[in-house]
C-alpha cells in the first residue's frame, strides 16, 4: 500500500476524506491545497518555517459520517532552503498506514498517533484559537464559554472580573467580531482591559484579518504605549494588528516601534520577528530592524537567533542576504554580521 502514497494529500484523498491544512507555527493560516501539494513535492519552500520545522494542523473528516472532524498536529523538519524533508513525511505516512491502513477515520483511529514522533500538542492559546477558527469554518456554534466572554467585553460584568472568562471564550469572541455588536464592544473595551485579558486576546487576534477600524485603534493605542515605555501593551498591539486587513497600519506601528525608545527591547524585537514578519519583507525596514538587533545589549544571543529565524523565510531571505553585502550599514551591524560567520 505505502509505495503508492507519495503525499499526505494522497493519503487523505485515498482514505475518502475531506481535508484542510493549516500552518500553525507562526499565525494560524489556511494553506491552499495547490500550495500544500507544491510544499509536499518540495517544489517550493514551506512559507512559514519556525525553528527549522513546518508546524501543521491537518483537519479531516469522512464526508459520509456525521462525526466531528479529526485533527493531526504535525511537525516536520525542513532543509536549509526551508523545503520539506520528505523522508520524515514518508515515515509518518508509513506509520499511519501500518497502524490504520486506509481507515484513518474509523473507530480505531483515536489514540493511534499518541507516540508518533511527528505529532505535537500546540500551546493553550493556539489550541483555543484553532478550535474557534474551525467552528467558524464549519458554521458550528461557538463553545459554551462564548456568551460569558461577550458579557465581559460588553462591560456588563466589570473589566476587573476577568477570572471566570475562559480562554476558549476569548478565542470564540475574537473569531466572531463580525457577529452581534462584538467589534463595537471590543473597541470600547480595549483601553480598559487588564493585562490578564489583553495578552491572551492579542494572541487570538494575531491570527485574524481584523477590520481597518480596529487596526486604527490598535495603531493609536500602540503608539501611546511606546511613548509610555509600556512594553506589554505595545507588544499586545503589535501582535493584535499583525494579520489585519490594513497592512499599511501594521507597517506603521512596526516603524513606530523600531524608531521608539523601546526599539531595542528584546520583547518588541521578538514580537516583530515572530508576528509582524511580513512587514520585514521591505528591505529598508528589515535593515533598521537588524540594526536594532545588533545594538541590543544581549547581541550574542539575540542577533544570531533572529537572523536564523528570518533567513529561513523565503520572502525575507534574499533581502537579508543582500544586507550582508550592503555597504551603507553601521559599524555595529557590520560587526554583528561578521560574528555570524567567524
Amino acid at each position: 500500500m505505502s509505495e503508492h502514497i507519495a503525499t499526505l494529500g494522497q493519503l487523505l484523498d485515498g482514505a475518502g476524506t475531506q481535508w484542510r491544512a493549516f500552518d500553525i507555527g507562526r499565525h494560524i493560516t489556511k494553506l491552499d491545497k495547490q500550495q500544500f501539494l507544491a510544499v509536499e513535492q518540495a517544489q517550493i519552500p514551506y512559507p512559514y518555517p519556525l525553528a527549522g520545522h513546518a508546524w501543521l494542523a491537518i483537519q479531516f473528516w469522512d464526508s459520509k459520517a456525521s462525526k466531528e472532524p479529526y485533527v493531526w498536529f504535525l511537525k516536520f523538519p525542513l532543509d536549509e532552503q526551508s523545503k520539506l524533508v520528505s523522508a520524515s513525511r514518508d515515515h509518518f505516512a508509513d506509520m499511519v498506514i501500518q497502524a490504520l491502513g486506509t481507515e484513518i477515520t474509523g473507530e480505531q483511529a483515536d489514540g493511534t498517533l499518541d507516540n508518533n514522533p511527528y505529532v505535537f500538542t500546540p500551546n493553550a492559546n493556539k489550541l483555543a484559537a484553532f478550535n474557534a477558527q474551525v467552528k467558524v469554518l464549519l458554521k458550528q456554534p461557538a463553545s459554551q464559554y462564548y456568551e460569558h466572554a461577550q458579557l465581559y467585553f460588553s462591560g456588563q460584568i466589570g473589566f476587573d472580573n476577568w477570572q471566570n472568562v475562559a480562554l476558549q471564550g476569548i478565542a470564540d469572541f475574537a473569531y466572531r467580531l463580525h457577529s452581534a455588536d462584538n467589534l463595537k464592544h471590543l473597541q470600547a473595551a480595549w483601553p480598559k482591559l487588564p493585562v490578564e485579558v489583553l495578552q491572551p486576546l492579542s494572541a487570538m487576534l494575531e491570527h485574524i484579518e481584523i477590520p481597518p477600524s480596529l487596526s486604527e485603534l490598535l495603531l493609536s493605542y500602540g503608539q501611546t504605549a511606546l511613548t509610555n515605555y509600556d512594553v506589554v501593551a505595545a507588544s499586545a498591539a503589535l501582535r493584535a494588528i499583525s494579520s489585519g486587513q490594513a497592512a499599511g497600519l501594521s507597517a506603521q506601528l512596526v516603524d513606530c516601534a523600531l524608531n521608539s525608545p523601546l526599539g531595542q527591547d528584546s520583547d518588541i524585537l521578538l514580537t516583530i520577528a515572530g508576528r509582524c514578519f511580513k512587514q520585514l519583507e521591505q528591505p529598508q525596514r528589515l535593515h533598521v530592524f537588524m540594526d536594532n538587533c545588533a545594538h541590543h545589549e544581549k547581541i550574542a544571543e539575540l542577533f544570531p537567533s533572529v537572523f536564523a529565524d528570518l533567513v529561513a523565510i523565503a520572502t525575507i531571505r534574499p533581502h537579508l542576504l543582500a544586507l550582508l553585502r550592503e555597504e551603507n550599514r553601521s559599524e555595529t551591524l557590520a560587526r554583528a554580521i561578521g560574528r555570524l560567520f567567524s
Side-chain angles (χ1 to χ4, degrees):
M1 167 77 197
S2 59
E3 61 247 33
H4 305 305
I5 297 285
T7 63
L8 290 181
Q10 283 183 359
L11 173 66
L12 293 157
D13 289 339
T17 69
Q18 304 279 325
W19 59 276
R20 295 190 182 105
F22 302 82
D23 171 71
I24 64 163
R26 289 181 181 268
H27 292 130
I28 299 176
T29 310
K30 191 163 173 281
L31 299 171
D32 173 81
K33 280 201 178 174
Q34 289 308 111
Q35 180 188 28
F36 187 64
L37 182 66
V39 163
E40 282 218 74
Q41 294 175 335
Q43 292 167 350
I44 59 169
Y46 188 72
Y48 311 111
L50 184 66
H53 285 75
W55 304 76
L56 293 162
I58 312 268
Q59 182 201 36
F60 59 97
W61 60 97
D62 180 346
S63 39
K64 295 183 285 293
S66 57
K67 282 186 73 169
E68 283 291 289
Y70 292 85
V71 181
W72 290 337
F73 294 111
L74 306 172
K75 62 180 266 208
F76 292 116
L78 303 169
D79 68 15
E80 60 285 351
Q81 291 182 300
S82 296
K83 289 185 173 174
L84 192 70
V85 177
S86 49
S88 317
R89 185 267 327 275
D90 296 348
H91 183 212
F92 170 77
D94 282 343
M95 290 175 81
V96 171
I97 288 162
Q98 280 167 14
L100 298 171
T102 53
E103 296 296 311
I104 59 174
T105 58
E107 289 305 312
Q108 78 281 32
D110 294 316
T112 39
L113 300 184
D114 287 352
N115 299 316
N116 191 294
Y118 304 106
V119 170
F120 76 100
T121 304
N123 67 34
N125 283 338
K126 281 263 172 67
L127 267 180
F130 184 75
N131 288 335
Q133 181 166 343
V134 163
K135 294 253 194 248
V136 170
L137 282 172
L138 294 174
K139 299 186 169 55
Q140 292 177 342
S143 76
Q144 70 206 60
Y145 308 107
Y146 171 52
E147 282 181 18
H148 189 73
Q150 274 187 304
L151 280 176
Y152 176 82
F153 287 111
S154 68
Q156 293 180 56
I157 51 180
F159 294 116
D160 291 337
N161 297 323
W162 50 267
Q163 294 83 351
N164 294 324
V165 182
L167 186 62
Q168 188 61 58
I170 295 175
D172 290 327
F173 180 85
Y175 272 94
R176 285 172 156 77
L177 290 182
H178 55 280
S179 303
D181 288 328
N182 289 355
L183 178 61
K184 186 179 83 178
H185 288 152
L186 178 61
Q187 287 172 317
W190 187 277
K192 306 168 196 156
L193 295 175
V195 67
E196 293 87 354
V197 176
L198 197 61
Q199 287 182 309
L201 176 62
S202 59
M204 303 308 158
L205 293 174
E206 70 184 27
H207 308 298
I208 298 168
E209 292 184 1
I210 58 170
S213 62
L214 183 53
S215 290
E216 282 169 12
L217 181 147
L218 291 167
L219 172 61
S220 160
Y221 176 87
Q223 287 168 326
T224 305
L226 290 163
T227 310
N228 295 337
Y229 292 83
D230 187 339
V231 174
V232 172
S235 299
L238 282 163
R239 289 182 78 165
I241 205 172
S242 60
S243 292
Q245 293 166 10
L249 297 177
S250 174
Q252 223 178 311
L253 186 55
V254 170
D255 290 339
C256 288
L258 291 175
N259 294 312
S260 79
L262 290 178
Q264 291 166 23
D265 177 89
S266 51
D267 284 346
I268 297 290
L269 291 169
L270 292 171
T271 300
I272 292 171
R275 304 304 192 281
C276 305
F277 58 94
K278 289 197 170 118
Q279 306 306 338
L280 299 178
E281 293 169 7
Q282 203 271 334
Q284 182 53 37
R285 186 175 296 119
L286 178 66
H287 187 152
V288 174
F289 174 80
M290 293 308 294
D291 193 72
N292 283 20
C293 290
H295 281 86
H296 189 266
E297 57 190 0
K298 290 193 175 151
I299 178 181
E301 299 159 28
L302 185 89
F303 192 88
S305 67
V306 167
F307 184 90
D309 183 48
L310 294 178
V311 81
I313 302 173
T315 49
I316 296 177
R317 184 185 181 92
H319 306 305
L320 199 48
L321 296 179
L323 189 58
L324 302 183
R325 301 183 296 278
E326 171 79 51
E327 305 272 303
N328 183 20
R329 62 186 188 203
S330 70
E331 188 56 41
T332 308
L333 179 56
R335 273 203 309 274
I337 287 170
R339 257 190 238 107
L340 285 175
F341 299 100
S342 62

